[in-house]
Amino acid sequence: MDRLRQEILASRGADDAAYVHRIIRLQRRLEAAGRLALFAGILPPAWIAGTTMLATAKILENMELGHNVMHGQWDWMRDPEIHSTTWEWDNTCPSEQWKHTHNQIHHVWTNVLHKDRDVGYGLLRITPDQKWHPVYLAQPVYAAVLACLFQWGVALHDVEVERLLNGRADPEVSRARLDEVAEKARKQVLKDYVAYPLLAGPFFLPVLAGNMTANLVRNVWAFTVIFCGHFPGPVPTFTVDDVVAEDRNGWYVRQVIGSANISGGRLMHLMTGNLSHQIEHHLFPDLPSNRYAEIAPKVRDACERFGLPYVTGSLPRQFGSVVKRIVRMALP
């Protein structure tokens, strides 16, 4: 894995830079076209086209751009506008908070119970190692709500609301983080639900409905992709005891067996931010996302040679497995 990583690092160049610039242009054009079409949203075809383009733009911005840029995948270009330290994404979660919970916690403690806060997102029981409580009986409902409001769940992730309620978080730190979320959320709400609808004048309501629908589609899609990446039935979770003596080799192994891929073509990979290659992403989170498809056959071959599971499947299969897990873990 170290050798494979170095090969990709050494081969980054103009083609990779052209790729990310091309995606940025595509995303911005889709957003502009979508918002313009929604100004004629009183006409059903225009509303459908505008909402579809805007939802697609939001998905691309969050997943193929925001997520990957903030991982530092494009820092090597030294472009101040496409850099992990400067990118602020179209999401209610402040980028600095996301980088803390995602880059510094989730990617270090992947699927380790009570360390990786992505395990259940503080709401869901994902593994038998989590103590059952009657509140989990309704977790299929919680999961559906979380999917619809996913950007808000992500926004509150670093605030550590559940730890704050249990007295295990620093109130001052949580309050400061909550203030940052409130400021970022205020800007997002004003942009999507006030400013753009007002620009449409008498067509305020169609634009408002289109923006709300685009955000809903983006939220549900992001939830689906992320949960399919770590919580299909065959993917294990770990305890702190499992990783006490973990070395570099053990970390690589845990990334492989604690992640799952989604099979599909180029469009699937693009729309998932290449998180359809979740295994490769967790092995190499700071390598350019467009190179994961190239890496994947080599990683799979290594897994076969070393007897490690390489979990992959279609989106319906993976998501069905996630739903079964959520329902099963709702019961004692």
Side-chain angles (χ1 to χ4, degrees):
M1 294 299 104
D2 285 343
R3 185 167 59 251
L4 181 56
R5 171 181 166 77
Q6 289 304 316
E7 289 174 1
I8 300 298
L9 287 175
S11 65
R12 295 176 303 186
D15 288 346
D16 301 299
Y19 172 82
V20 71
H21 282 289
R22 187 163 63 250
I23 298 303
I24 289 173
R25 288 195 300 271
L26 172 64
Q27 186 275 328
R28 290 176 177 172
R29 289 170 181 172
L30 280 170
E31 181 175 2
R35 293 195 183 280
L36 284 172
L38 279 174
F39 286 160
I42 194 69
L43 304 173
W47 188 89
I48 293 171
T51 301
T52 300
M53 288 188 286
L54 183 57
T56 303
K58 284 177 172 287
I59 288 170
L60 286 175
E61 198 284 330
N62 274 197
M63 306 196 76
E64 182 66 324
L65 294 175
H67 171 273
N68 295 330
V69 170
M70 290 191 290
H71 261 298
Q73 293 182 8
W74 306 100
D75 286 3
W76 58 276
M77 297 193 308
R78 302 186 186 281
D79 185 332
E81 295 184 2
I82 314 173
H83 200 278
S84 61
T85 60
T86 59
W87 192 276
E88 187 59 66
W89 60 347
D90 180 24
N91 197 293
T92 53
C93 180
S95 61
E96 289 302 319
Q97 291 191 24
W98 182 87
K99 285 185 286 188
H100 175 247
T101 55
H102 190 79
N103 296 0
Q104 298 176 31
I105 297 178
H106 170 62
H107 272 268
V108 173
W109 300 104
T110 306
N111 278 28
V112 178
L113 188 61
H114 304 311
K115 286 287 190 177
D116 180 4
R117 300 191 63 250
D118 283 16
V119 176
Y121 281 79
L123 288 173
L124 307 176
R125 181 176 183 250
I126 295 298
T127 168
D129 291 328
Q130 291 173 268
K131 185 179 179 181
W132 184 82
H133 187 278
V135 72
Y136 289 122
L137 288 170
Q139 79 170 16
V141 176
Y142 307 153
V145 173
L146 178 61
C148 294
L149 302 176
F150 195 59
Q151 70 165 333
W152 297 95
V154 172
L156 293 174
H157 209 28
D158 205 35
V159 177
E160 300 185 328
V161 174
E162 77 284 358
R163 290 170 58 86
L164 187 63
L165 295 176
N166 292 332
R168 291 184 292 160
D170 185 328
E172 292 301 319
V173 172
S174 292
R175 188 175 297 111
R177 291 174 179 171
L178 188 60
D179 288 343
E180 293 173 358
V181 170
E183 177 59 20
K184 181 68 190 297
R186 182 184 68 81
K187 294 177 181 178
Q188 292 295 112
V189 169
L190 285 175
K191 172 175 69 72
D192 277 345
Y193 304 143
V194 179
Y196 278 111
L198 283 175
L199 285 174
F203 304 136
F204 177 96
L205 290 179
V207 172
L208 175 63
N211 287 355
M212 293 179 69
T213 303
N215 281 327
L216 174 64
V217 170
R218 184 270 315 276
N219 289 344
V220 172
W221 179 251
F223 171 93
T224 300
V225 171
I226 290 168
F227 270 65
C228 284
H230 289 294
F231 305 125
V235 176
T237 56
F238 309 91
T239 66
V240 174
D241 291 341
D242 293 331
V243 299
V244 166
E246 185 178 79
D247 59 7
R248 180 69 170 173
N249 292 328
W251 183 86
Y252 274 137
V253 169
R254 178 161 54 84
Q255 301 312 308
V256 169
I257 66 177
S259 304
N261 284 5
I262 302 169
S263 59
R266 293 176 64 181
L267 181 60
M268 172 66 75
H269 300 325
L270 175 65
M271 294 304 292
T272 62
N274 277 285
L275 292 181
S276 47
H277 296 109
Q278 187 74 247
I279 295 171
E280 289 72 28
H281 173 62
H282 264 264
L283 289 169
F284 313 111
D286 60 348
L287 293 187
S289 59
N290 62 307
R291 305 298 290 275
Y292 290 151
E294 171 188 344
I295 298 169
K298 300 175 183 179
V299 171
R300 188 165 192 166
D301 178 67
C303 289
E304 290 175 356
R305 286 189 287 115
F306 288 96
L308 294 175
Y310 186 93
V311 179
T312 187
S314 67
L315 182 63
R317 175 184 170 186
Q318 299 295 63
F319 189 62
S321 182
V322 169
V323 171
K324 283 180 61 177
R325 185 170 185 165
I326 290 172
V327 172
R328 184 171 70 251
M329 288 297 103
L331 305 174

